[in-house]
Amino acid sequence: MRVVFLGKDPESVEGDSPTLYATDRTDRITFIAQGWKVTDPAALADIGPVPDHETLIEIPEEVLVMYARRYAREQDGQGLRGAGS
């Protein structure tokens, strides 16, 4: 599997940068998100059990906008190749 950088949080400081990537999987459309690990006890209690092979991350809304841009390009026929621009 290969990944394409979509963008990072424009308000992040260096070394603390939630980021979104698109993958080139052929069996399904997937994304990889880099974010802040959720450790807040109240949030974890609200969510409930998380399987050992998964984790929870928090990402800013601005990073999700990058997904919307990628989706719009996909609809225009540019697909994954146009994802990084």
Side-chain angles (χ1 to χ4, degrees):
M1 173 174 59
R2 301 302 306 255
V3 299
V4 173
F5 171 84
L6 294 181
K8 63 172 34 179
D9 177 16
E11 296 184 24
S12 67
V13 296
E14 190 165 334
D16 189 21
S17 50
T19 307
L20 187 65
Y21 303 88
T23 74
D24 68 350
R25 285 181 59 161
T26 57
D27 59 329
R28 65 193 316 186
I29 296 172
T30 63
F31 298 87
I32 296 174
Q34 174 185 336
W36 303 298
K37 185 175 181 179
V38 176
T39 59
D40 181 272
L44 294 172
D46 288 343
I47 293 166
V50 177
D52 287 340
H53 64 280
E54 296 179 1
T55 192
L56 301 171
I57 61 166
E58 179 182 2
I59 57 174
E61 181 179 36
E62 293 83 358
V63 174
L64 296 178
V65 169
M66 295 167 199
Y67 164 76
R69 288 183 191 137
R70 190 257 184 205
Y71 181 80
R73 281 192 292 273
E74 178 79 18
Q75 298 308 300
D76 289 340
Q78 292 183 359
L80 190 57
R81 277 178 213 227
S85 56

